Amino acid sequence: MKKYNFNAGPSILPQVVIEKTAEAVKDFNGSGLSIMEISHRSKDFQAVMDEAVALFKELLQIPDGYSVLFLGGGASLQFCMVPYNLLEKKAAYLNTGTWANKALKEAKFFGEVVEVASSKDALYSYIPKDYTIPADADYFHITTNNTIYGTEIRKDIDSPIPLVADMSSDIFSRPLDVSKYAVIYGGAQKNVGPAGVAFVIVKEDVLGKVSRPIPTMLNYRTHVENGSMFNTPPVLPIYACLETLRWLKALGGVEVMEKINIEKATMLYEEIDRNPLFKGTAVPEDRSIMNVCFVMSDEYKDLEQEFLKFATERGMVGIKGHRSIGGFRASIYNAMPKEGVQALIDCMREFERINLR
Amino acid sequence: MKKYNFNAGPSILPQVVIEKTAEAVKDFNGSGLSIMEISHRSKDFQAVMDEAVALFKELLQIPDGYSVLFLGGGASLQFCMVPYNLLEKKAAYLNTGTWANKALKEAKFFGEVVEVASSKDALYSYIPKDYTIPADADYFHITTNNTIYGTEIRKDIDSPIPLVADMSSDIFSRPLDVSKYAVIYGGAQKNVGPAGVAFVIVKEDVLGKVSRPIPTMLNYRTHVENGSMFNTPPVLPIYACLETLRWLKALGGVEVMEKINIEKATMLYEEIDRNPLFKGTAVPEDRSIMNVCFVMSDEYKDLEQEFLKFATERGMVGIKGHRSIGGFRASIYNAMPKEGVQALIDCMREFERINLR
């Protein structure tokens, strides 16, 4: 039985990335050595790093003056690295869910934090829109895609102060105007590659403005100046990222990807809205094209476990919703093919036929 | 031609680890999914993490009261995490080389640092022995193996204050008395696995004693309490670590490993001492059994490039010495088979015959 991986992250990767990575684990570039045992200072790995950075810049049309970093520690480490490097007195955060909250909490170690708006009142089912970004804060932090709640900020917003975005789960899902951001960061394990590496796109001139001393490894400048090679980087995960970026480029880049993503998300949301058994949890205008969250309709709540079993038996993997919201979550990242979404829709229709005949 | 990988790190891994990891990249545990796309919260990955921790504890006979962590960011991040968590007022460091220096430098961000002794006067060719550990410091930090200079502290020293050791390049090379240490940490990419994950063995009761607030990801307690799963860990590198630990256990554990390591190192040092073309750089009593550093004898200095070429053409990979010391470095970590060391010795003898006939 074909399986479709709807895991929220680590999540589905393109088949070619899996195959190329397995090959490189056995023999990298015909060197007779595994990618796991080569020096990160070797010419061959430097080429991997250079191409990964170049593809980031090309695919996202990153303007001059920005560096692309690949760092260990995950996006969670970035929650403290951002304020360590940028927060002198005050930072502003938009609270759109669990991960936004975690980021906000870390900033409090470094200074005053203003929560400019929150959708906590409605279990984060929408993106707050009526808020004022304080002009005297050092930066404004947003979480563009909220994996747990299935909401997404799909426009590059205007901010009077440096804009920092956690794009862990929607980077490369659409074209971006990077010039509107000071920092964009995220864990790789959704649209970029496997777990074990975080990416940071940082505008160089926002650095060096805080007065606190910054430990070397937590200082973005260290990594900018050393091309992410100050210390041994996560070699194998970065290689898998490179293969993912190559795949994305071959497919046509983020413009093509966005069309496919919208198509996939539309198919699934239409089924959720049509099928009387199900209902979406996010307000329609803020629905994520990456994580589609839905529950059983009120009158069919008792069928939840049954549908989970039904879908799992038909090859759907990882569709159980996060415990804080329940129901179901279909993570349909870049690598999820349309046929996977169709297979899930077929399950929902079949389940409807069985239960509502 | 068979290649022998003498890289200093990332470095040689057992062939079985390479094969098993390549398999898991293609299909993990027959799940139909790659190890790169499974959830770190899945039962199957929890089993990987649990077994890796259990093998660490078993192989090193770690007493109760210690936690074993697998973290992103590398040993370099530990250089600041150690003082973040342990340095209240003053820390003591033994300066045995470049990496010890880097660790020491980071501690200065957090308090007073005493360099108790240094072998810098002799290009770190020995381990200082006559020193007094200040009883009023919060901890004493050592770097047990100095990859660049080929020196090693191969005994578990007694310290009147908590002992912290960077064992990046000699963990699992010999049995340890873990009870003598408060913290043992290191990057995996020598004896434990590929780059992208660091291990930390931490005595739980040394934590929680500093007054500074510690950002969540930098706080050892976070990772102790969450079993290294507070955030998404480096899944694939950890899997490769598990396979390396399984290999080590199957081989007979650290006692057997130490015998083999001593045998390999002795073979190579004997050749260096016998062969008139070469000489060792570290003083004999402090020679590392992991990194064997040597140069051409004074009268044959002009043959350096030639020997490098000669050995490389015969399959020796990564034997060029670090730029700060020059000459050659043969890293003969756990995974280097005796035949690899013999092949290098054969090169040295052959080169002697050609040049001194």
Side-chain angles (χ1 to χ4, degrees), chain B residues 63-123:
Chain B
D64 288 347
Y66 286 79
S67 283
V68 175
L69 312 176
F70 291 99
L71 306 177
S76 293
L77 186 62
Q78 297 309 314
F79 293 165
C80 82
M81 280 180 73
V82 164
Y84 229 131
N85 284 270
L86 301 182
L87 201 170
E88 181 68 15
K89 286 196 170 157
K90 189 162 89 173
Y93 278 68
L94 184 65
N95 182 359
T96 53
T98 304
W99 296 102
N101 252 304
K102 288 195 182 198
L104 184 156
K105 189 183 150 207
E106 294 310 301
K108 288 182 176 170
F109 283 97
F110 301 90
E112 187 191 340
V113 178
V114 182
E115 184 186 270
V116 296
S118 167
S119 48
K120 196 178 177 183
D121 57 337
L123 199 56

Side-chain angles (χ1 to χ4, degrees), chain B residues 271 274-278 303 307 310 314 342-357:
Chain B
E271 176 60 19
R274 185 207 62 76
N275 193 320
L277 291 178
F278 302 99
L303 291 176
F307 178 68
F310 184 86
R314 280 152 187 80
Q342 190 56 55
L344 175 57
I345 291 171
D346 291 346
C347 274
M348 294 164 76
R349 290 188 180 157
E350 176 72 8
F351 195 68
E352 179 196 13
R353 268 193 294 277
I354 291 169
N355 286 280
L356 297 187
R357 65 189 158 190

Side-chain angles (χ1 to χ4, degrees), chain A residues 3 5 7 9-13 17-18 21-22 25-26 31-34 36-40 72-74 76-77 80 84 102 105-106 109-110 189 194-196 213-218 230-237 240 317, chain B residues 3 5 7 9-13 17-18 21-22 25-26 31-34 36-40 72-74 76-77 80 84 102 105-106 109-110 189 194-196 213-218 230-237 240 317:
Chain A
K3 287 193 181 178
N5 182 358
N7 275 322
S11 50
I12 188 167
L13 287 170
V17 173
I18 291 167
T21 305
V25 166
K26 281 199 271 191
S31 64
L33 301 178
S34 167
M36 299 195 293
E37 24 169 43
I38 60 160
S39 170
H40 59 293
S76 293
L77 187 62
C80 82
Y84 229 130
K102 288 194 182 199
K105 190 184 150 208
E106 294 310 301
F109 284 97
F110 301 90
Q189 65 270 21
I214 308 174
T216 311
M217 278 291 288
L218 302 174
F230 172 74
N231 70 324
T232 314
V235 171
L236 176 51
V317 175
Chain B
K3 287 191 180 178
N5 182 357
N7 275 322
S11 51
I12 188 168
L13 288 171
V17 173
I18 292 167
T21 304
V25 166
K26 282 200 271 190
S31 64
L33 301 179
S34 168
M36 299 196 292
E37 23 169 44
I38 59 159
S39 170
H40 58 295
S76 293
L77 186 62
C80 82
Y84 229 131
K102 288 195 182 198
K105 189 183 150 207
E106 294 310 301
F109 283 97
F110 301 90
Q189 65 270 20
I214 308 173
T216 311
M217 278 292 288
L218 301 174
F230 171 74
N231 70 324
T232 313
V235 172
L236 177 51
V317 175

